């Protein structure tokens, strides 16, 4: 133990030596570009390093890796109050990424801001609007035809405002980011909940709503509640049938769908080095399923090799110089620690209906029989943003080849979704695509497809009970095929392939045998596959549109008669009084994800038209009054109708939604917040919120409130009127009161908590964050 002044002197001396070392290294070469598409934007590790040292001196303690990168991006590292889980941080992210479904509303909001160009490098990725139907080529062309108006809007808006544009067919946003934009230490925000995929490359990548993206694109400091840090210590080594996917399937079983809320999950320990870079990305990607702010791995040789293979050797060289900033400090402390021995970890399969219902593959057959889940596997689906790397495809192909060599094909239907054009071209060149096709697979377009419900499924009728297994990330009710009776299970691509070959859930490839057409019994050998292609990647077709140097003259058209796109009108300001006698639109029972609040699938086509997409508001939520979906009582007419119809009827009077635990988990789609605001909602009162959805509600001028006593949920009846009082003295940390007036003349008064800070209260008062931004211009 040394006096603080001695430590500080030593730090200053060490810092001086470090500066000489780095400046010498930099003098030999120019600044390194953030990506090959943005030669004018340089990586600024020096600034991050300075910020880290300012904060470390202030806190006088070792820092986790998450803290280093997050605090390294503080707008004011010397003055920012830092308290994990309590204070709000003002941050300066390096870049923004948007997928086409969310980019429509994000760009419409940016247009409304009146700003001429984006302040940080930003990209749009066309991956959500391509429906899986026949096969990659035909499905892609069909999507281009159907979505021409939307693609043209996004392409021209990107060109006008200085945004890079990845055309349809490029691949899934998170794979394009990993291949081109993520690097150790970058802070990226993306308008998709699986943005944390980039943590596999040592990045802090956070999923947000479009309004948050607009803040960053506008050059405004972005707010995030200071995250707690959950450490996952990995020991041992992955081998055999166990894959990186099994790590996050196990963690999801431990932490549940809300166990990571408000925290960054930081993986560390000697086991990390046995996982490939893309395997680490798989683990970080699915951290969204436990509610985590993001997930991250420390910089290591696997990441360096991946960057070199994807044409970013210069970034790897500079990252090596700053390696101490890209790994956790020795002795740093986590808010919670989980230990997993990879040598003992067994293959897992999670589901159905929720991604945290974890089972070892060896047990799933018996559990399914006991639970009455269908054993026959109707479809096996591999790929998606979570599991579509070269390694994933190679390991799946190694199993498919064993089956083919024995004269077997898949008993189940089998689909393959490449994560990017680069992956598609490379697996085609190296023969993996042919093997997967020969075993019965259909190669779909480089897009999200069935993972997000973009699947024109024909083999079962709606309501028919069936089982599918996927290498995706989510398996909420009706998520993939709009059939609420589909039992969807999430597992690794290897296990999906094995179960598709066997055709049954009751098959453990580690112990069970398959039978050839000649009657011979054989066991599949454990999967194998190269981490990266020995002949480098084949880039495939060039699908990137650079923003022109002078984009201001580009015209962006939005037709007033369009049913796909609609310019935004500002929301009304708060009237300065308490919100009185609001109707309860719906009291939601049980799980209510953003899929329930604003369904995807066929509704994706209206993501740029607020009024049209509002016709899906809460149509998937269960009404506690009658256990029905999209059937609520209009208290003014006495008739039952759909949720959006009744909301429109109540619009003038205002209304509230009452909900359960972890309300709004799942996708980052801000339409789940825009729609209730557009149709007259004022407050959402629940037991607890998922992080992104709570922020999205605040951004649109709504009040996300939580019961001080969760039992108060039971006091609210569907025919109540609710008043929110205390809004004239609305302040951070100060609860508000809900007065509940029952139809029998009685009333209850309950306390409601909130997490608003002063800036967010200004959003509420102005009517939305966008309104407030305009006031400040």
């Amino acid at each position: 133990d040394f006096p603080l002044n001695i430590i500080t002197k030593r730090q200053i001396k060490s810092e001086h030596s470090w500066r000489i070392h780095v400046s010498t290294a930099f003098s030999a070469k120019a600044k390194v570009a953030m990506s090959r598409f943005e030669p004018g934007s340089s990586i600024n590790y020096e600034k991050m390093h300075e910020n880290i040292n300012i904060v470390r001196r202030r806190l006088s303690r070792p820092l986790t890796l998450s803290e280093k990168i997050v605090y390294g991006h503080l707008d004011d590292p010397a003055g920012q109050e830092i308290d994990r889980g309590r204070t709000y941080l003002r941050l300066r992210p390096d870049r923004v990424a948007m997928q086409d479904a969310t980019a429509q509303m994000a760009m419409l909001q940016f247009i409304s801001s009146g700003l001429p160009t984006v302040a940080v490098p930003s990209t749009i990725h066309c991956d959500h609007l391509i429906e899986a139907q026949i096969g990659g080529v035909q499905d892609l062309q069909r999507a281009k035809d159907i979505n021409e108006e939307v693609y043209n809007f996004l392409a021209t808006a990107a060109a006008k405002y200085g945004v890079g544009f990845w055309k349809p067919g490029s691949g899934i946003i998170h794979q394009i980011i990993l291949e081109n934009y993520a690097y150790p230490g970058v802070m990226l925000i993306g308008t998709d909940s699986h943005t944390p995929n980039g943590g596999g490359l040592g990045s802090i990548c956070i999923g947000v709503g479009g309004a948050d993206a607009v803040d960053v694109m506008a050059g405004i400091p972005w707010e995030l509640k200071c995250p707690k840090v959950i450490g996952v210590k990995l020991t041992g080594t992955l081998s055999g049938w166990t894959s990186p996917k099994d790590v996050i399937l196990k963690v999801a079983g431990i932490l549940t769908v809300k166990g990571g809320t408000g925290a960054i999950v930081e993986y560390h320990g000697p086991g990390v080095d046995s996982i490939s870079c893309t395997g680490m990305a798989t683990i970080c990607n699915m951290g969204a399923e436990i509610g985590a702010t993001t997930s991250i791995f420390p910089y290591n040789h696997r990441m360096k090799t991946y960057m070199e293979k994807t044409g970013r050797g210069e970034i790897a060289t500079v990252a090596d110089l700053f390696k101490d900033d890209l790994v956790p400090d020795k002795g740093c402390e986590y808010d919670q620690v989980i230990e997993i021995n990879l040598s003992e970890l067994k293959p897992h399969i999670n589901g159905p209906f929720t991604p945290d219902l974890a089972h070892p593959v060896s047990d799933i057959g018996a559990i399914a029989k006991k639970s009455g889940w269908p054993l026959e596997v109707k479809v096996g689906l591999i790929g998606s943003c979570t599991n579509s790397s070269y390694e994933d495809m190679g390991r799946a192909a190694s199993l498919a080849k064993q089956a083919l060599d024995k004269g077997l094909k898949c008993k189940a239907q089998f689909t393959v979704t490449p994560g990017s054009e680069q992956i598609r071209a490379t697996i085609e060149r190296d023969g993996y695509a042919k093997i997967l096709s020969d075993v019965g697979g259909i190669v779909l377009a480089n897009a999200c497809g069935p993972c997000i419900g973009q699947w024109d499924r024909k083999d079962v009728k709606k309501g028919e009970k069936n089982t599918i297994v996927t290498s995706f990330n989510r398996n909420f009710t009706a998520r993939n095929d709009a059939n609420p009776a589909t039992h969807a299970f999430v597992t690794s691509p290897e296990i999906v392939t094995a179960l598709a070959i066997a055709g049954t859930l009751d098959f453990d490839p580690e112990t069970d045998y398959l039978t050839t057409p000649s009657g011979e019994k054989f066991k599949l050998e454990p999967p194998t596959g190269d981490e990266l292609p020995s002949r480098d990647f084949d880039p495939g077709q060039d699908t990137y549109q650079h923003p022109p140097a002078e984009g201001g003259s580009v015209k962006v058209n939005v037709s007033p008669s369009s049913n796909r796109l609609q310019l935004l009108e500002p929301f009304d300001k708060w009237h300065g009084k308490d919100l009185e006698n609001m109707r309860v639109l719906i009291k939601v029972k049980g799980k209510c994800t953003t899929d329930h609040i604003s369904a995807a699938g066929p509704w994706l086509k209206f993501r740029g038209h607020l009024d049209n997409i509002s016709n899906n508001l809460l149509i998937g939520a269960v009404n506690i009054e009658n256990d029905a979906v999209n059937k609520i009582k209009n208290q003014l007419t006495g008739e039952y109708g759909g949720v959006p119809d009744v909301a429109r009827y109540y619009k003038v009077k205002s209304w509230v939604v009452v909900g359960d635990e972890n309300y709004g988990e799942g996708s980052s789609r801000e339409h789940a917040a825009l729609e209730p605001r557009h149709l007259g909602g004022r407050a959402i009162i629940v037991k607890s919120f998922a992080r992104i959805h709570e922020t999205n509600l605040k951004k649109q001028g709504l009040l996300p409130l939580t019961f001080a006593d969760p039992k108060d949920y039971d006091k609210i009846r569907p025919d109540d009127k609710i008043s929110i009082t205390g809004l004239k003295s609305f302040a951070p940390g100060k609860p508000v009161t809900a007065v509940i007036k029952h139809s029998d003349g009685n009333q209850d008064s309950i306390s409601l908590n909130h997490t608003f800070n002063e800036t967010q209260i200004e959003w509420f008062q102005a009517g939305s964050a966008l309104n407030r931004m305009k006031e400040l211009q």
Side-chain angles (χ1 to χ4, degrees):
D1 293 322
F2 297 100
L4 187 59
N5 66 328
I6 296 176
I7 294 174
T8 305
K9 284 177 184 174
R10 287 184 179 175
Q11 283 176 337
I12 291 167
K13 189 174 180 182
S14 165
E15 183 74 7
H16 181 68
S17 304
W18 177 87
R19 284 185 176 284
I20 294 171
H21 165 66
V22 170
S23 61
T24 305
F26 269 127
S27 64
K29 62 194 298 181
K31 284 271 191 184
V32 175
M34 287 175 72
S35 82
R36 64 191 171 94
F37 303 104
E38 296 141 353
S41 297
S42 300
I43 292 173
N44 197 347
Y45 277 137
E46 288 175 291
K47 175 68 174 170
M48 188 174 90
H49 180 81
E50 287 170 11
N51 286 1
I52 291 168
N53 279 330
I54 291 168
V55 172
R56 190 188 280 114
R57 282 197 290 269
R58 284 182 56 204
L59 300 182
S60 300
R61 63 170 174 79
L63 300 177
T64 67
L65 169 59
S66 311
E67 290 181 303
K68 286 183 179 182
I69 301 177
V70 171
Y71 304 161
H73 286 82
L74 284 169
D75 183 49
D76 177 16
Q80 170 73 59
E81 188 184 2
I82 298 168
D83 184 6
R84 292 199 315 219
R86 188 182 68 81
T87 59
Y88 280 88
L89 307 179
R90 290 166 63 81
L91 300 162
R92 293 282 184 179
D94 298 301
R95 63 181 310 122
V96 171
M98 300 166 277
Q99 41 93 335
D100 50 356
T102 49
Q104 295 171 63
M105 197 55 70
M107 292 310 293
L108 286 164
Q109 289 177 88
F110 189 81
I111 290 168
S112 295
S113 76
L115 296 166
T117 189
V118 295
V120 301
S122 304
T123 51
I124 292 170
H125 304 259
C126 295
D127 63 357
H128 271 56
L129 300 177
I130 302 165
E131 186 179 50
Q133 191 181 62
I134 302 165
V137 176
Q138 301 98 313
D139 293 347
L140 177 58
Q141 187 53 54
R142 181 167 166 265
K144 287 178 178 178
D145 294 340
I146 292 171
N147 302 305
E148 182 180 8
E149 179 189 13
V150 171
Y151 290 148
N152 181 59
F153 165 73
L154 292 174
T156 53
K160 185 175 184 68
Y161 297 105
V163 176
F165 181 70
W166 288 85
K167 300 171 190 174
S170 303
I172 305 172
I173 177 172
H174 312 302
Q175 294 309 305
I176 299 292
I177 288 170
L178 200 71
E179 293 170 359
N180 298 281
Y181 298 117
Y183 60 82
V186 72
M187 175 175 273
L188 176 151
I189 71 161
T191 61
D192 189 279
S193 56
H194 292 104
T195 301
N197 191 78
L201 205 41
S203 311
I204 288 288
C205 297
I206 301 176
V208 299
D212 278 9
V214 172
D215 281 356
V216 181
M217 290 192 290
I220 295 170
W222 173 62
E223 284 199 343
L224 175 74
K225 184 175 264 193
C226 188
K228 294 185 176 182
V229 189
I230 297 172
V232 179
K233 184 178 181 182
L234 302 177
T235 59
T237 306
L238 282 179
S239 63
W241 282 90
T242 307
S243 74
K245 185 67 163 278
D246 297 309
V247 176
I248 185 59
L249 295 175
K250 177 73 173 177
V251 170
I254 295 168
L255 287 176
T256 77
V257 288
K258 64 174 188 171
T261 304
I264 293 175
V265 179
E266 184 172 310
Y267 294 85
H268 62 282
V272 166
D273 285 342
S274 77
I275 305 173
S276 66
C277 177
T278 51
M280 293 187 241
T282 290
I283 294 167
C284 292
N285 174 292
M286 206 179 146
E289 270 48 74
I290 55 172
T293 301
T294 192
S295 301
I296 192 168
F297 277 83
Y299 178 56
N300 68 358
H301 70 281
R302 300 274 197 166
M303 297 181 190
K304 180 175 183 176
T305 304
Y306 182 79
M307 283 193 287
E308 289 167 347
K309 278 284 189 182
T310 51
R312 294 174 289 167
E314 279 192 331
I315 297 178
T317 301
V318 184
D320 282 344
L321 289 174
F322 288 85
K323 184 167 183 180
D324 286 349
D325 291 337
L326 304 173
V327 295
D329 285 341
K330 285 184 181 173
C332 68
E333 291 192 2
Y334 297 100
D335 294 285
Q336 179 182 351
V337 176
I338 296 166
E339 282 203 38
I340 296 176
N341 184 339
L342 301 178
S343 300
E344 296 173 357
L345 183 64
K346 288 294 186 181
H348 272 62
I349 184 167
N350 288 21
F353 306 122
T354 185
D356 59 348
L357 188 56
H359 320 278
V361 170
S362 55
D363 296 346
I364 190 65
I367 295 169
K369 286 173 189 169
K370 186 178 175 185
S371 305
W373 302 334
L375 284 178
E376 181 192 0
V377 175
K378 286 281 191 182
V379 193
L381 306 99
I382 67 168
S384 82
C385 66
T386 318
N387 273 113
S388 55
S389 67
Y390 184 81
E391 181 182 38
D392 287 329
M393 296 297 168
R395 283 169 67 89
S398 75
L399 298 172
K401 188 169 189 314
Q402 291 180 54
L404 288 168
D405 288 347
K406 295 288 188 179
L408 288 178
K409 288 193 173 188
C410 290
K411 286 186 178 176
Q413 289 185 42
F414 187 49
T415 70
V416 180
T417 307
S420 68
E421 170 61 9
Q422 179 168 271
I423 293 294
R424 183 208 61 77
T426 307
I427 66 170
E428 201 165 286
R429 179 198 68 192
D430 293 352
Y432 292 167
K434 185 176 189 314
I435 293 169
L436 293 169
S437 178
D438 287 349
V439 85
I442 298 170
V443 179
L444 301 173
N446 315 320
C448 300
C451 183
I452 60 157
Q454 283 284 54
W455 183 17
D456 185 20
R457 189 179 179 192
K458 304 288 192 189
D459 64 300
V460 295
K461 293 188 178 78
K462 193 165 182 178
E464 184 181 335
K465 203 170 169 184
N466 74 101
T467 285
I468 64 172
V469 291
T470 82
S471 70
F472 305 162
N473 40 49
R474 284 195 182 132
N475 56 349
F476 303 143
T477 302
R479 164 84 177 181
N480 305 122
D481 62 0
N483 180 5
T486 293
H487 292 54
F489 295 86
V490 178
T491 185
S492 67
E494 301 93 305
I495 296 296
V496 172
T497 306
L499 295 181
I501 292 166
T504 178
L505 209 55
D506 190 15
F507 177 75
D508 179 3
E510 290 192 291
T511 58
D512 295 344
Y513 287 80
L514 294 166
T515 305
T516 69
S518 63
E520 176 197 349
K521 290 196 175 294
F522 79 101
K523 243 170 66 169
L524 291 167
E525 294 294 321
T528 57
D530 292 336
E531 180 178 343
L532 294 162
S534 58
R535 291 191 284 161
D536 294 334
F537 284 104
D538 181 336
Q541 298 177 43
D542 181 7
T543 54
Y544 178 72
Q545 172 189 291
H546 285 271
E550 296 295 328
S553 59
V554 174
K555 194 159 187 189
V556 181
N557 289 320
V558 176
S559 167
S561 60
S562 172
N563 74 342
R564 296 287 303 267
L565 297 165
Q566 180 186 48
L567 291 174
L568 295 173
E569 294 290 331
F571 289 131
D572 59 317
K573 289 182 68 166
W574 175 54
H575 51 45
K577 304 176 218 167
D578 288 339
L579 299 171
E580 296 186 338
N581 296 320
M582 295 180 289
R583 290 286 177 184
V584 176
L585 177 66
I586 181 173
K587 183 177 178 182
V588 177
K589 178 182 177 182
K591 185 186 277 275
C592 189
T593 72
T594 48
D595 279 29
H596 296 87
I597 303 167
S598 176
W603 291 94
L604 281 170
K605 61 178 171 285
F606 297 126
R607 284 285 181 88
H609 197 293
L610 180 54
D611 195 56
N612 281 348
I613 199 167
S614 293
N615 289 323
N616 76 0
L617 174 66
L618 286 159
I619 62 173
V622 177
N623 179 11
I624 199 167
E625 183 187 15
N626 54 10
D627 280 339
V629 170
N630 201 27
K631 186 180 179 183
I632 59 172
K633 188 175 183 179
N634 183 327
Q635 301 296 335
L636 299 177
T637 67
E639 297 174 354
Y640 280 84
V643 182
D645 301 323
V646 177
R648 287 184 190 276
Y649 199 95
Y650 289 169
K651 186 171 181 178
V652 179
K653 296 277 186 184
S654 301
W655 46 262
V656 303
V657 168
V658 178
D660 214 314
E661 295 279 6
N662 207 30
Y663 185 90
E665 76 170 90
S667 167
S668 69
R669 66 192 67 149
E670 66 182 335
H671 299 77
L674 281 158
E675 292 173 34
R677 182 72 165 96
H678 175 63
L679 295 186
R682 293 293 173 179
I684 312 292
I685 306 168
V686 302
K687 293 179 184 176
S688 64
F689 283 102
R691 174 189 64 86
I692 300 176
H693 186 58
E694 182 180 23
T695 302
N696 287 346
L697 291 167
K698 291 177 183 176
K699 286 272 181 181
Q700 302 308 335
L702 280 146
L703 290 172
L705 305 169
T706 54
F707 295 105
D709 180 354
K711 293 193 188 81
D712 286 341
Y713 169 88
D714 299 323
K715 290 180 179 174
I716 298 177
R717 304 167 194 165
D719 60 350
D720 287 340
K721 290 180 183 175
I722 295 180
S723 298
I724 307 292
T725 65
L727 292 178
K728 286 185 181 176
S729 57
F730 195 18
K734 183 180 176 184
V736 296
T737 299
V739 178
I740 308 162
K741 295 177 184 175
H742 305 301
S743 57
D744 60 9
N746 293 320
Q747 67 179 43
D748 285 299
S749 187
I750 62 172
S751 181
L752 300 174
N753 295 330
H754 65 85
T755 60
F756 280 82
N757 61 24
E758 287 175 0
T759 301
Q760 294 166 347
I761 289 171
E762 289 172 357
W763 299 344
F764 167 72
Q765 292 167 340
S768 72
L770 193 57
N771 288 359
R772 182 61 180 152
M773 185 194 295
K774 283 186 169 178
E775 288 178 356
L776 294 172
Q777 278 180 25

